Amino acid sequence: MKIGGKRSNSSSRFLDLTTNLSFIDQALVSGGNFLAGILMARAFGLFEFGRFTLVWMSVEFLMSLHYALVLQPMLNIGPKQNESERFRYFPAVGAQQVLTSLVMGSVAWTALAAAGIVFNDVKLSELAAPVFAAIIMYQSHVFFRRYLFMRERPVRGLMVDALRFGVQLPVTIALLFLPGSKDASNGLWIIAIACMASTTLGVCFFGKFVWDAAVFRQVIARHWDFSKWLLPSAVMHWLTSQAYFLMSGVVLGAAITGGLRAASGITGVLNIIVMALDSFAPARASRAFNEGGRKQLQHFIVRLAGLMGVLTLGTVVVLNVAPELAIRLLYGEKYEGLGFLVRWLCVPAVLYSMAAVLAIAAAATERTKLIFQSYVAATVFTLIAAYPLAYYTGLPGIVVTWIVVECIRVAVLLAGLQRGTSVAVVPTAIK
């Protein structure tokens, strides 16, 4: 059935408060995470910060699965709900969020506790409880920030993120001066507590919770139909995004890998722009498709691509003005001479932003299998070409692999979207 309800003019607006605050909010989140990482590195020391980094990678991996299972379906299906359906749909998604977080947190807790026993490592077992708390609270925090921006409540979404870092950063600074605080578990507890504070505020902004078991079952089934191709896509994205650094370490050594990581940290500002899209673009694209079909979706995507083109190309110009200076200011004189890498890595970063826009269009039409196919093609190329290119051509081969992978994704998504000329508006989960 085609979705009914009043036609919204939100898809016709573009550079409005929600869009502008989305970029401001993402800058706050990325800046807060960057500063928190520096503070924890100083507070913990090299060994404990390494332990924290490895554990947090697993938390982020589970977050990517959570995004595929809960958040991305909500961002694309939620805007298609009628006003009369929303008061039942979103509480059901909230219940799915709680259940998913509990399952993932419990799996992580069990895995760490078991690993501590198997390897007779007490400190590893001690991480089980803080990891469980960090997963539950971190995923809940992200759920509410995405929900509020999707519902066109950007000020409240910004408040949720501001509260998290308003708690997390001062407490992390306190670690520098407190005795006996040089343990990775303290970093996890701090994140859990900060996210608990922001989650509490998010609950207050969520509104009335109406439970309907039948709707919950419908939402689970509807979200799974949307997510079944996104879960393996999330895994492949995680693997391919780490493959460049892994291959660099295996073939070229730790020093080159460190330089590659440092340069990617500079060009990571382009990823901030892409990540900001999640706060408004999927919902706007889905609403445009629901209201006006493929034609209105194309109109929105063209404008979104234009906005991204201006922002990314402008950022690339700034990054290329004095990349050596940026490297020296952020990382010190030991990293001098890596400015050329910043220029090189701007290319895959721009291509990644193009792929992100095309993926938003595919998700709006709920063609998630197309996203999966783009990752399959990119992963196959990575497995075949990454090692020989790195072995025979060195660092340029790593960068070329990176560029070709993003070109493949853009090509597959673009070709698939052009073929889908007769896609119909899909029904919602709630009847």
Side-chain angles (χ1 to χ4, degrees):
M1 67 177 180
K2 187 173 181 178
I3 310 299
K6 295 178 66 177
R7 182 183 178 89
S8 169
N9 65 352
S10 60
S11 59
S12 64
R13 293 178 282 113
F14 209 75
L15 290 176
D16 59 2
L17 182 64
T18 297
T19 305
N20 295 332
L21 286 184
S22 295
F23 289 104
I24 294 173
D25 178 75
Q26 190 58 55
L28 168 67
V29 172
S30 298
N33 283 326
F34 180 74
L35 182 56
I38 292 175
L39 292 171
M40 287 185 183
R42 289 179 175 272
F44 294 154
L46 188 60
F47 178 75
E48 283 299 318
F49 185 65
R51 292 180 72 228
F52 171 83
T53 300
L54 291 172
V55 173
W56 190 250
M57 284 177 63
S58 66
V59 176
E60 290 284 11
F61 175 71
L62 290 176
M63 185 67 237
S64 69
L65 301 183
H66 177 269
Y67 185 86
L69 278 170
V70 181
L71 298 183
Q72 195 162 356
M74 178 183 72
L75 294 175
N76 287 277
I77 297 172
K80 298 173 182 176
Q81 304 299 316
N82 288 326
E83 288 293 339
S84 60
E85 297 169 336
R86 290 177 183 173
F87 79 97
R88 294 181 297 162
Y89 170 79
F90 287 114
V93 178
Q96 183 195 14
Q97 138 69 28
V98 172
L99 178 62
T100 304
S101 296
L102 285 172
V103 170
M104 290 184 177
S106 299
V107 169
W109 186 332
T110 303
L112 280 170
I117 295 173
V118 170
F119 296 104
N120 194 27
D121 188 338
V122 176
K123 292 185 76 66
L124 189 60
S125 297
E126 289 175 350
L127 290 173
V131 164
F132 174 81
I135 289 172
I136 299 295
M137 292 295 101
Y138 178 55
Q139 292 185 354
S140 299
H141 162 79
V142 175
F143 170 79
F144 283 111
R145 71 181 290 252
R146 294 302 185 200
Y147 167 81
L148 290 168
F149 273 96
M150 183 204 62
R151 296 300 304 274
E152 304 284 344
R153 300 167 184 171
V155 175
R156 294 183 177 186
L158 186 60
M159 289 172 62
V160 166
D161 281 328
L163 178 58
R164 174 197 164 179
F165 289 103
V167 173
Q168 183 175 338
L169 293 178
V171 178
T172 307
I173 291 173
L175 283 179
L176 296 170
F177 307 100
L178 293 176
S181 60
K182 316 303 182 185
D183 194 278
S185 61
N186 289 328
L188 295 168
W189 282 120
I190 289 172
I191 293 174
I193 292 170
C195 289
M196 182 174 65
S198 61
T199 295
T200 302
L201 182 61
V203 170
C204 296
F205 290 152
F206 189 74
K208 186 178 180 181
F209 186 89
V210 178
W211 173 251
D212 189 318
V215 171
F216 176 72
R217 290 191 295 269
Q218 291 176 19
V219 167
I220 293 292
R222 185 77 174 84
H223 279 201
W224 173 248
D225 187 58
F226 183 95
S227 298
K228 61 187 177 184
W229 297 109
L230 293 178
L231 276 176
S233 299
V235 174
M236 285 185 287
H237 172 68
W238 181 266
L239 294 175
T240 54
S241 64
Q242 302 301 316
Y244 316 110
F245 303 107
L246 176 63
M247 203 60 61
S248 174
V250 170
V251 179
L252 305 177
I256 297 296
T257 304
L260 191 64
R261 178 69 76 176
S264 67
I266 301 291
T267 58
V269 67
L270 291 164
N271 290 336
I272 295 176
I273 300 173
V274 175
M275 289 187 291
L277 295 183
D278 283 340
S279 294
F280 71 94
R284 298 276 181 88
S286 296
R287 193 175 297 119
F289 181 64
N290 185 61
E291 294 172 352
R294 184 177 176 82
K295 184 176 181 180
Q296 189 165 325
L297 174 61
Q298 286 179 329
H299 182 59
F300 174 82
I301 292 298
V302 168
R303 289 190 297 162
L304 182 63
L307 173 65
M308 287 299 294
V310 171
L311 293 175
T312 55
L313 291 178
T315 305
V316 166
V317 170
V318 172
L319 291 177
N320 280 268
V321 169
E324 288 289 353
L325 177 62
I327 287 284
R328 187 166 62 253
L329 289 176
L330 286 177
Y331 298 105
E333 295 181 358
K334 293 182 179 180
Y335 289 83
E336 282 186 326
L338 296 177
F340 73 97
L341 261 182
V342 174
R343 292 191 171 98
W344 287 5
L345 295 184
C346 282
V347 179
V350 170
L351 291 169
Y352 176 73
S353 70
M354 295 171 59
V357 172
L358 295 173
I360 287 170
T365 59
E366 302 192 32
R367 299 178 62 198
T368 53
K369 187 176 181 179
L370 178 58
I371 300 174
F372 169 74
Q373 290 168 341
S374 73
Y375 277 114
V376 169
T379 302
V380 169
F381 174 81
T382 303
L383 293 174
I384 294 173
Y387 180 81
L389 281 173
Y391 185 82
Y392 289 107
T393 64
L395 190 56
I398 297 286
V399 178
V400 167
T401 303
W402 208 328
I403 293 172
V404 174
V405 161
E406 296 304 333
C407 284
I408 290 173
R409 289 198 61 229
V410 169
V412 172
L413 288 167
L414 189 59
L417 289 170
Q418 288 178 337
R419 286 196 304 268
T421 56
S422 60
V423 180
V425 177
V426 293
T428 65
I430 300 175
K431 299 180 179 179

